[in-house]
Amino acid sequence: MSNYSYMALGEELDKDAYVVCKYRVTTDLPIEKAAEAIAAEQSTGTWTGISTLNDEVFTRYAAKVTAIDGDVVTIAYPEEDFSIRVGAIPQILSVISGNLYGLGSLKGVRLEDVVFPKGILKQYQGPKFGDKGLREILHRPEKPLVGTIVKPKIGLSPKDTAGYIYEAGSGGLTNGKDDETLVDQAFCPIEERTKAVAEVLDRLREEGHHMVHAINISTNGQDIRELAEDVQSWGATQLMIDVLTCGYGAIQAVAEDPRIKIPVHVHRTMHAAMTKDPLNGISMRVISKLVRMCGGDALHIGTLGAGKMGGDSTEGRLNQDACQSDDVPFKSVMPVCSGGMYPGIVPAVVKAAGTNCQIQAGGGVAGHPEGVRAGAMAMCQAVDAAFEGIDIAEYAQTHHELKLALDRWGTK
Ligand code: 3PG
């Protein structure tokens, strides 16, 4: 490292001139040295002093370590370190979440949070529909949305997929979706699937029930916009994109395209490779903020402590806050509580997440002893009980489908 110091503890910064990040750092180094190594590596420094770094470049572009609280360090990056015309999220991530993970002196680094200045936020459009837009489409102003993921996640034909969705909608569900591993396999071509599902959604609408189904369009960058348009023209009511396998730019490309007039559901498959280790990686909170900037209308945030994916309810609430806080100039994202969901844990999830969320179950619908329609009814009954504040076991006394679900899976 050169003679330049990146330490600026306690310095009052203009929050509109910096991107401010919080990192949890595990190291044998004194924490100040570790923080400085990150600030240097991610801005104007490298592993040694360099003759090409001068006062002007340092003063203008160097990151500053502004706070250290135990193992959490705050680093502020000047807004000018970020691209203005091209670059977007890939360039932002290279700065705030790039080389630093490889620094040998650090045993672990986790990017816990990021706050962007207005100048960067205004380069993004955020969700076109957001939670309120989805509620309008579904004619469901208050209660949580209730969704399903078609199961098995692969193997069903377009006709069977549509049959599943018809049953789920007839049981009262508001949302259906493809799973993350289904896109355009030979057993279920995307065009046929989209058209078959559109047909049953029309039928449900004629019968008085509003439901959308997210078709998974996750694919290569050069193809995704065209696929989104095709799928929309085949009758899709919602699109789904796996954000981490496709990249944030894929969401942005689709959401910001004025020809796309349906909401984008965002799946987070692969997130645990980055989010699971409490001492290394990137928090889901950060991912949620980026998805919101890029225009995701709904985003998986976990089940806030319950269900097969576990997770931590505090972290879940931070994710939800990133989706819905009013400190950014974007519409709110609908948080999707999904992963091992079943009726018995709905009260706990609604208690933790509140009612402005989408409660979603795959196995918890398709695994019902009386089939998909009854599974959908049981999920809706569980959500109704939670919404009305009625004890779920008591509600089940007069709701047969819920009773069977509780008998099969319990409430823990
Ligand atoms: C998801 O997309 O969240 C998972 O496929 C959930 O499936 P499950 O409800 O059967 O766990």
Side-chain angles (χ1 to χ4, degrees):
M1 197 169 296
S2 68
N3 292 329
Y4 288 109
S5 168
Y6 292 81
M7 300 304 286
L9 294 184
E11 203 174 291
E12 280 287 315
L13 296 181
D14 172 4
K15 67 178 176 32
D16 283 329
Y18 291 87
V19 173
V20 180
C21 293
K22 286 191 188 301
Y23 301 95
R24 189 174 301 282
V25 179
T26 311
T27 180
D28 289 335
L29 286 179
I31 190 81
E32 293 79 8
K33 289 272 168 240
E36 215 177 4
I38 296 172
E41 176 64 32
Q42 298 307 124
S43 63
T44 54
T46 182
W47 59 274
T48 180
I50 45 176
S51 60
T52 43
L53 178 59
N54 58 43
D55 289 352
E56 194 199 332
V57 170
F58 181 80
T59 308
R60 197 153 174 178
Y61 305 110
K64 295 167 184 272
V65 179
T66 59
I68 296 181
D69 181 8
D71 61 351
V72 176
V73 306
T74 304
I75 297 181
Y77 299 93
E79 191 179 1
E80 284 185 291
D81 291 6
F82 298 89
S83 283
I84 40 176
R85 282 177 298 277
V86 290
I89 303 290
Q91 191 271 338
I92 288 175
L93 283 175
S94 285
V95 176
I96 68 172
S97 195
N99 275 3
L100 57 96
Y101 297 104
L103 291 174
S105 55
L106 309 183
K107 290 180 172 161
V109 196
R110 190 170 198 257
L111 174 59
E112 296 285 3
D113 194 16
V114 56
V115 176
F116 292 102
K118 286 195 196 93
I120 289 185
L121 291 176
K122 76 175 187 221
Q123 296 171 26
Y124 295 82
Q125 295 179 9
K128 232 183 237 167
F129 298 87
D131 53 3
K132 289 196 180 68
L134 273 165
R135 285 184 174 286
E136 271 169 33
I137 291 169
L138 293 165
H139 299 252
R140 193 164 168 103
E142 285 182 316
K143 287 184 188 174
L145 306 186
V146 199
T148 189
I149 313 103
V150 175
K151 297 283 173 174
K153 61 171 85 185
I154 53 161
L156 295 188
S157 66
K159 186 165 170 272
D160 289 344
T161 303
Y164 183 116
I165 290 304
Y166 182 72
E167 286 299 294
S170 300
L173 296 192
T174 56
N175 292 73
K177 70 179 257 311
D178 293 345
D179 221 336
E180 76 285 351
T181 59
L182 179 70
V183 182
D184 190 29
Q185 285 95 321
F187 57 79
C188 198
I190 192 166
E191 180 171 354
E192 273 178 69
R193 177 170 82 255
T194 306
K195 288 179 174 170
V197 170
E199 221 173 278
V200 300
L201 292 180
D202 283 347
R203 179 145 44 110
L204 286 163
R205 200 171 315 112
E206 281 158 21
E207 291 166 7
H209 181 66
H210 296 274
M211 183 181 191
V212 292
H213 177 90
I215 297 287
N216 187 7
I217 58 164
S218 299
T219 189
N220 293 327
Q222 74 274 20
D223 300 324
I224 200 159
R225 270 221 292 232
E226 198 183 324
L227 184 58
E229 268 198 78
D230 285 346
V231 161
Q232 180 176 259
S233 75
W234 299 328
T237 45
Q238 191 172 22
L239 303 167
M240 181 174 117
I241 300 176
D242 295 330
V243 59
L244 296 169
T245 56
C246 293
Y248 297 89
I251 312 267
Q252 213 180 336
V254 172
E256 292 184 1
D257 186 332
R259 291 166 301 186
I260 300 300
K261 306 209 184 299
I262 51 179
V264 179
H265 179 109
V266 180
H267 197 287
R268 60 175 187 163
T269 189
M270 199 171 80
H271 79 93
M274 293 172 215
T275 63
K276 197 170 189 173
D277 186 338
L279 299 179
N280 197 66
I282 305 175
S283 73
M284 187 62 208
R285 181 191 201 180
V286 170
I287 295 171
S288 305
K289 287 187 175 185
L290 298 176
V291 166
R292 188 173 179 187
M293 285 162 71
C294 290
D297 294 292
L299 170 67
H300 289 226
I301 63 155
T303 47
L304 294 96
K308 78 175 176 192
M309 302 297 193
D312 174 70
S313 63
T314 312
E315 174 139 17
R317 270 191 286 269
L318 292 175
N319 302 342
Q320 189 178 6
D321 190 57
C323 289
Q324 299 179 317
S325 67
D326 54 13
D327 56 355
V328 288
F330 307 125
K331 289 180 179 158
S332 297
V333 176
M334 176 59 76
V336 181
C337 301
S338 187
M341 180 72 71
Y342 51 92
I345 60 169
V346 167
V349 175
V350 171
K351 188 163 175 230
T355 51
N356 192 16
C357 61
Q358 179 170 325
I359 307 274
Q360 184 173 275
V365 166
H368 191 280
E370 290 187 352
V372 171
R373 188 182 296 218
M377 289 171 74
M379 278 299 293
C380 292
Q381 290 161 1
V383 166
D384 286 350
F387 185 75
E388 303 294 342
I390 303 169
D391 177 74
I392 192 164
E394 188 188 318
Y395 204 71
Q397 297 309 316
T398 50
H399 294 83
H400 166 74
E401 295 78 14
L402 181 58
K403 170 89 173 50
L404 288 182
L406 297 192
D407 288 349
R408 172 150 198 208
W409 294 304
T411 53
K412 293 236 173 349

